[in-house]
Amino acid sequence: MVDFKKHLGHKPSAKTFDPIEIYKSLDRASDKGDLRHLQKVILTEWHTARRSERDVIVKVHTGQGKTLLGLLMLQSKLNEKKGPALYLCPNHFLVNQTLEQARQFGVHCVAADGEYLPDEFLEGRAILVAVLHKLFNGLTKFGLGTKSIPVGTILLDDAHACMDKIHEQCIITIQYDKANESTAYSDILSLFENELRSQGDGTFEDILRHEFDAYLPLPYWAWWDRSSDVARILSRFTKTKALQFSWPLLKDTLRYTHCLVSGTQIVIAPHIPPVHMFGSYANAGHRIFMSATVTDDSFLVKGLGLSLETVQKPLIDPKETWSGEKMVVSPSLINDELSREKIVEFFATPKNSYKFGVVVLVPSSKKCADWKKYGAHVVDKSTIDYAVRDLRNKDYSRTLVIANYYDGIDLPDDACRLLIIDSKPFAEEILERYIEDRRHGSQLIAGRIARIVEQGMGRAVRGEKDFCAIILIGSDLLRALQAPDRRDFFSDQTRTQIEIGRNIAELAREEIVGGRSPMEAFLGLVDQCLKRDEGWKEYYTERMNTMSLRGSVARPELLKMFQAEVAAELEFQNGNSDRAVEKIQKLLDQQKLKVVDADRGWYLQEMARYTYVSSKSHADELQRVAHKTNRNLLRPREGMIVTKIPTLTPEKRLERIKDWLVSHEVFENIAIAVDDIFTDLSFGVKSDKFEAAMQDLATALGFASDRPDTEWKEGPDNLWGLRDNEYLLFEDKNEVAILRAEINKDESDQMNRSSAWFKRHYPGSSVTRIMIIPTKKVGTAAAFTDEVFIMTKHGLDRLTKNVKAFFNEFRNVDLQDLSLNRINEHLTTHKLTVSELTTKYAEKPIALRG
């Protein structure tokens, strides 16, 4: 072979570190031209000012070439002899896509296909492109702790998706096995039966019946005291699929994890992911995190162990403000007739005329049922790759519905011109459900929902010139987007797009006044986006160019919360429980940080957990305060005192209704909130959602309320404080089959126990007892010890109709100038006075004779 370098007129120059110069030298495909302006800006800033920093977040708009940016940065580090270099993706689809782009651009990359890591990677001669769990698992080929393979530079593509995947890899999930009673599930359930019963006797019985939705948190004091017993149980099953990849990560730190027990599984999870165990990541000299411009990076502080400084100064092009075109449309804001049900039926039905993909994102498999009924193609995480491939191959014959999967999918151009986001994302996994249930109203939960929605909205617009109509349905989703206390959690770009959606909904309403049907007005609006109406394009560009900019996407409040949580947990795990408590107390003492009661109680419980190691009595005191502040938390071991909810004067009730109305700012937000309540206030909905909706309804109608069974682990499902020491007690049996013939003994016994609880804790008070259930017939084995009324579907429908009509009275009213007398008149008109609420919507039961 001829060595041409010997015949050069000058000595070969050393490999350049400059990524822009590296790009010029690549043997790339002929259609790969010069770097984009944004790529040059980012690479120049990184090379001249940021390459020596350990951690760098790179935020670029979707479709702006972030994969090439990452590859060039890693190649630059290889040229600097700062290898090995590792490029990690959250899924195999992105791995293949990255490898293909590397081939087209001439960047030397290798895949991790074999049993061993490639020599070219280990020797720093090529970039290794791999799926995330190749590194992050308990049996990783990269090694754990001191045995980890050194990596010079590591890049996480789509950092938030990677964060979620890492969290999944660090959790032990033990499924209930009906065929085998001698399992880790049954052994742990037996070990902690008494402690679980103390947190909810009824829920524990549901767990014993292996109901999917029933779960309880295991008290930290019991888990800490018996962690060695748990280790003995789990060590027998370490070769099983459930434990083999996570057991090595948690086996020596079980007491620093928390445990949730449900009817179908037991979940054991660390309070913070043990990323320090993955030395290839934790000790890498340079770490690059790719993040979308619309995503709040605050979550990376806790999820990936990043510092506040890293999150607060991402690498961006300051002149790039927005990219791509999204027409965000909420049909129900145009007209009440455009309900979720109508939209589902219209778009789920296959249409051969479509020359583009229609994709739907739903929060759970249950939400897919009606889409599937009308002919849509429903997929989950295991089948999604094939469905996306079909779309890219221009198979648009059926609407594609994807359950609980909002990131890691690229659907550019015609692959998806219509994206429908159906209902608010909610936690399906038990661990996320636990946090949402216990931290209701928290900024953390609002931020998480905003992040997921923004990730979902970004699936279809993958470049500067890409466009898509995004249809939002489901009252709970609209409330999450439109509510004044929620919308600030979205990025500048998304907030502006949502506001444009509100404006064009008003324009469509004007067309309805002019004679068009609601569906015609809605579809006409969508067509203007899809058929590239010049007026719409100019309108969108003008509005986006004038959007107000807040600067960094990361929210200071979330950053402070995550920083304190991580710092406290690390202090605790290092044996410094007092310092851990100080970290949380310092957070709570910050005047500028608005901590809601749910979060304050949560943090007090964390302080109690830290304190239990050194002083059980002091921990008990803290736990009692925590539970008093947030009754959804762990029930204290002793000393719990039930707090009575107040009844109100008629004037105070009217004032509370007005405050509720004014807090929503405009009528559209009121309508969304009311619709959200009654979406969950129907038969067949999960009981927890129904009970929460009953509490929200009480608030909207001006009453103080409580959920004793949830908050005190005993008593009725809902309790409303009316007036003059008068109460309304509810037992909600909304999950009972609508064709049920009679009330059974278990149900009447539950009402009797709730009635006895009320007498014990509310002596001398009057109460109306209502059971919400489809039938008013009482079985021969059942009996009520006190007077009880039954609200059937007919009564619930009447209440729904009247409440909606009541709030509709405020459609064209100046809320700030609303008189209490007017509110009172509307309450009377729509039969929502106290006397009518206790008499008009429920009937006396009918006792069956044997």
Side-chain angles (χ1 to χ4, degrees):
M1 184 175 70
V2 176
D3 186 356
F4 288 103
K5 291 188 177 182
K6 288 183 178 180
H7 302 280
L8 292 174
H10 61 276
K11 288 185 177 181
S13 58
K15 288 184 177 181
T16 178
F17 302 165
D18 186 341
I20 295 178
E21 293 301 316
I22 291 173
Y23 182 76
K24 292 177 182 178
S25 69
L26 295 176
D27 290 328
R28 56 187 186 272
S30 59
D31 63 339
K32 304 303 178 186
D34 197 10
L35 289 169
R36 300 174 185 177
H37 172 74
L38 177 139
Q39 291 173 319
K40 291 179 180 178
V41 170
I42 295 291
L43 290 173
T44 299
E45 176 67 15
W46 176 79
H47 176 58
T48 59
R50 307 290 294 273
R51 67 180 300 130
S52 62
E53 295 178 12
R54 180 156 188 259
D55 292 333
V56 176
I57 296 175
V58 180
K59 294 181 79 70
V60 294
H61 292 305
T62 302
Q64 295 286 60
K66 66 178 176 62
T67 302
L68 178 58
L69 285 174
L71 291 171
L72 290 173
M73 289 175 180
L74 291 178
Q75 187 61 56
S76 172
K77 282 294 185 177
L78 284 184
N79 289 0
E80 194 185 354
K81 304 298 183 183
K82 298 291 186 181
L86 178 60
Y87 191 119
L88 291 179
C89 303
N91 56 51
H92 288 288
F93 180 85
L94 291 178
V95 168
N96 295 332
Q97 182 174 286
T98 301
L99 287 170
E100 175 59 23
Q101 287 200 39
R103 185 191 66 78
Q104 293 176 6
F105 284 107
V107 180
H108 187 28
C109 293
V110 291
D113 296 330
E115 183 178 352
Y116 302 102
L117 296 174
D119 289 339
E120 287 181 286
F121 159 68
L122 295 173
E123 295 167 4
R125 292 185 286 115
I127 299 166
L128 176 64
V129 180
V131 72
L132 184 89
H133 61 248
K134 182 69 69 172
L135 167 58
F136 291 96
N137 75 82
L139 300 178
T140 175
K141 291 181 173 61
F142 286 84
L144 293 176
T146 57
K147 297 180 180 180
S148 298
I149 293 172
V151 171
T153 310
I154 187 169
L155 181 146
L156 270 61
D157 191 1
D158 198 346
H160 286 270
C162 288
M163 174 188 73
D164 294 337
K165 296 291 184 183
I166 292 171
H167 192 221
E168 291 175 12
Q169 295 297 316
C170 299
I171 294 175
I172 294 174
T173 302
I174 305 164
Q175 301 292 342
Y176 164 67
D177 184 359
K178 185 177 181 181
N180 186 359
E181 289 302 319
S182 179
T183 62
Y185 177 94
S186 59
D187 290 352
I188 291 175
L189 192 64
S190 298
L191 178 65
F192 291 107
E193 177 175 350
N194 291 335
E195 289 83 359
L196 289 167
R197 283 191 180 279
S198 72
Q199 295 303 314
D201 210 16
T203 302
F204 185 74
E205 291 297 330
D206 291 341
I207 290 173
L208 292 180
R209 290 196 296 273
H210 303 293
E211 293 187 7
F212 174 79
D213 292 323
Y215 79 91
L216 286 171
L218 196 59
Y220 56 81
W221 52 87
W223 188 251
W224 180 274
D225 290 344
R226 299 192 187 179
S227 59
S228 57
D229 296 325
V230 175
R232 259 192 304 274
I233 292 172
L234 294 180
S235 64
R236 307 200 317 265
F237 302 93
T238 55
K239 301 301 181 183
T240 63
K241 185 178 179 181
L243 273 81
Q244 61 178 334
F245 293 108
S246 50
W247 176 248
L249 304 174
L250 304 181
K251 63 181 180 180
D252 295 327
T253 56
L254 273 178
R255 57 172 48 184
Y256 297 107
T257 64
H258 55 142
C259 178
L260 300 167
V261 179
S262 82
T264 57
Q265 62 183 207
I266 292 174
V267 172
I268 300 170
H271 290 274
I272 54 175
V275 291
H276 65 280
M277 297 188 68
F278 304 100
S280 301
Y281 169 81
N283 302 323
H286 190 53
R287 304 188 299 189
I288 303 167
F289 305 89
M290 293 295 185
S291 176
T293 51
V294 297
T295 308
D296 188 336
D297 293 326
S298 306
F299 293 84
L300 303 182
V301 170
K302 189 172 183 180
L304 295 178
L306 302 192
S307 68
L308 262 67
E309 292 74 20
T310 299
V311 173
Q312 289 172 327
K313 57 171 188 175
L315 182 51
I316 60 172
D317 179 357
K319 294 183 179 179
E320 289 287 321
T321 55
W322 60 276
S323 178
E325 178 190 311
K326 298 171 187 171
M327 175 185 273
V328 181
V329 187
S330 304
S332 62
L333 290 184
I334 296 174
N335 190 276
D336 292 342
E337 289 184 22
L338 300 174
S339 62
R340 176 189 175 274
E341 292 71 23
K342 277 199 173 183
I343 300 301
V344 169
E345 181 179 1
F346 183 86
F347 286 105
T349 306
K351 294 176 176 60
N352 295 326
S353 60
Y354 284 164
K355 305 301 181 186
F356 50 78
V358 179
V359 178
V360 184
L361 303 180
V362 298
S364 69
S365 54
K366 286 186 177 180
K367 278 286 184 182
C368 297
D370 47 358
W371 287 99
K372 190 173 184 179
K373 179 179 71 173
Y374 291 114
H377 179 207
V378 176
V379 299
D380 57 21
K381 294 180 182 180
S382 63
T383 55
I384 191 172
D385 287 347
Y386 303 102
V388 170
R389 193 175 303 132
D390 288 343
L391 283 176
R392 292 193 165 201
N393 291 331
K394 302 186 183 304
D395 181 1
Y396 310 134
S397 57
R398 298 171 70 190
T399 294
L400 176 64
V401 181
I402 304 170
N404 194 26
Y405 201 79
Y406 294 85
D407 56 26
I409 318 165
D410 285 349
L411 299 167
D413 304 319
D414 287 343
C416 180
R417 293 296 188 203
L418 258 177
L419 176 67
I420 302 172
I421 302 183
D422 178 4
S423 304
K424 183 185 77 173
F426 61 83
E428 266 211 314
E429 303 298 329
I430 182 174
L431 185 61
E432 292 180 345
R433 283 171 54 201
Y434 167 70
I435 295 172
E436 280 197 10
D437 291 345
R438 270 61 184 177
R439 302 183 73 168
H440 184 70
S442 168
Q443 296 190 62
L444 181 146
I445 303 303
R448 175 185 170 275
I449 291 170
R451 175 171 68 89
I452 294 172
V453 171
E454 290 192 305
Q455 285 175 326
M457 290 175 66
R459 296 308 93 204
V461 178
R462 308 302 296 173
E464 182 182 1
K465 296 298 182 181
D466 204 355
F467 64 91
C468 178
I470 300 176
I471 300 171
L472 308 176
I473 59 176
S475 57
D476 55 349
L477 174 62
L478 296 188
R479 192 176 185 184
L481 268 61
Q482 304 286 358
D485 59 339
R486 309 274 182 90
R487 57 188 176 220
D488 282 347
F489 286 89
F490 293 91
S491 65
D492 298 331
Q493 180 171 314
T494 303
R495 263 188 315 111
T496 305
Q497 289 162 342
I498 292 171
E499 187 59 34
I500 291 172
R502 289 177 66 101
N503 294 338
I504 63 177
E506 292 179 13
L507 299 176
R509 287 201 295 270
E510 292 175 7
E511 293 206 332
I512 295 172
V513 174
R516 297 190 80 181
S517 72
M519 185 61 82
E520 286 175 337
F522 161 60
L523 294 177
L525 203 59
V526 172
D527 272 350
Q528 288 183 274
C529 171
L530 301 182
K531 295 180 179 179
R532 313 313 296 135
D533 177 76
E534 289 298 326
W536 154 249
K537 288 161 61 177
E538 292 177 15
Y539 178 89
Y540 179 83
T541 301
E542 180 182 276
R543 294 298 189 277
M544 292 300 293
N545 283 338
T546 58
M547 70 179 177
S548 57
L549 300 176
R550 297 175 299 179
S552 174
V553 176
R555 290 181 63 86
E557 311 95 296
L558 292 180
L559 281 173
K560 291 175 182 177
M561 291 167 72
F562 287 132
Q563 182 190 38
E565 289 178 16
V566 172
E569 190 64 31
L570 290 177
E571 289 284 8
F572 180 54
Q573 294 186 16
N574 288 330
N576 303 317
S577 58
D578 289 345
R579 291 183 190 174
V581 171
E582 288 175 7
K583 296 287 185 183
I584 299 299
Q585 187 62 61
K586 186 177 180 181
L587 175 72
L588 295 178
D589 289 342
Q590 293 185 38
Q591 297 293 327
K592 294 182 179 180
L593 191 65
K594 296 180 180 178
V595 180
V596 297
D597 283 346
D599 276 340
R600 185 171 296 277
W602 175 274
Y603 287 129
L604 287 168
Q605 179 167 284
E606 290 292 88
M607 292 165 66
R609 177 168 66 89
Y610 300 147
T611 304
Y612 183 76
V613 182
S614 56
S615 174
K616 292 179 172 55
S617 60
H618 185 39
D620 288 345
E621 292 175 11
L622 284 170
Q623 189 60 45
R624 282 194 290 272
V625 178
H627 184 266
K628 184 177 181 180
T629 307
N630 176 357
R631 295 177 194 156
N632 292 312
L633 298 176
L634 291 169
R635 183 177 184 175
R637 294 194 296 176
E638 57 186 23
M640 186 176 68
I641 301 173
V642 173
T643 304
K644 289 178 61 174
I645 57 172
T647 55
L648 308 170
T649 63
E651 292 77 15
K652 187 63 178 176
R653 180 196 177 192
L654 298 176
E655 290 173 4
R656 286 168 63 102
I657 293 175
K658 180 176 179 179
D659 290 343
W660 189 87
L661 291 167
V662 170
S663 71
H664 289 82
E665 295 184 347
V666 294
F667 177 76
E668 286 78 12
N669 292 340
I670 294 171
I672 291 169
V674 173
D675 195 33
D676 189 18
I677 290 171
F678 285 106
T679 296
D680 290 339
L681 209 58
S682 57
F683 285 98
V685 170
K686 290 181 181 179
S687 58
D688 187 65
K689 283 192 168 187
F690 189 96
E691 292 163 19
M694 283 293 290
Q695 188 168 31
D696 290 340
L697 178 60
T699 302
L701 292 177
F703 300 118
S705 69
D706 199 354
R707 294 174 60 191
D709 189 41
T710 297
E711 298 177 358
W712 304 107
K713 317 306 177 187
E714 58 182 2
D717 293 322
N718 292 93
L719 186 66
W720 293 9
L722 303 180
R723 65 180 179 191
D724 300 329
N725 213 24
E726 182 181 357
Y727 293 84
L728 193 53
L729 180 154
F730 294 95
E731 276 297 333
D732 308 324
K733 301 301 173 187
N734 60 292
E735 288 193 85
V736 169
I738 200 71
L739 298 179
R740 167 82 81 79
E742 60 188 48
I743 298 168
N744 63 36
K745 185 176 186 298
D746 285 344
E747 290 156 351
S748 65
D749 285 350
Q750 188 170 351
M751 174 58 89
N752 293 339
R753 287 195 297 271
S754 294
S755 183
W757 178 92
F758 182 85
K759 293 176 183 176
R760 186 166 65 254
H761 293 289
Y762 287 78
S765 302
S766 62
V767 63
T768 300
R769 305 168 191 83
I770 294 178
M771 178 178 284
I772 302 176
I773 194 166
T775 178
K776 60 182 178 181
K777 297 179 180 179
V778 182
T780 54
F784 294 116
T785 56
D786 296 281
E787 183 178 46
V788 173
F789 295 92
I790 307 299
M791 183 184 291
T792 61
K793 185 177 184 301
H794 175 70
L796 185 58
D797 288 346
R798 282 184 61 215
L799 179 63
T800 302
K801 179 182 177 182
N802 289 353
V803 171
K804 286 187 174 181
F806 165 71
F807 284 107
N808 199 51
E809 297 281 5
F810 306 102
R811 179 178 291 276
N812 298 311
V813 173
D814 181 354
L815 298 177
Q816 298 293 338
D817 195 34
L818 184 60
S819 72
L820 299 184
N821 284 338
R822 187 166 186 178
I823 296 174
N824 193 45
E825 289 171 3
H826 293 324
L827 287 172
T828 302
T829 299
H830 297 289
K831 297 181 173 54
L832 295 174
T833 63
V834 167
S835 60
E836 288 166 322
L837 285 170
T838 57
T839 59
K840 296 293 185 182
Y841 301 98
E843 311 168 68
K844 289 185 176 182
I846 300 173
L848 299 177
R849 295 182 179 180

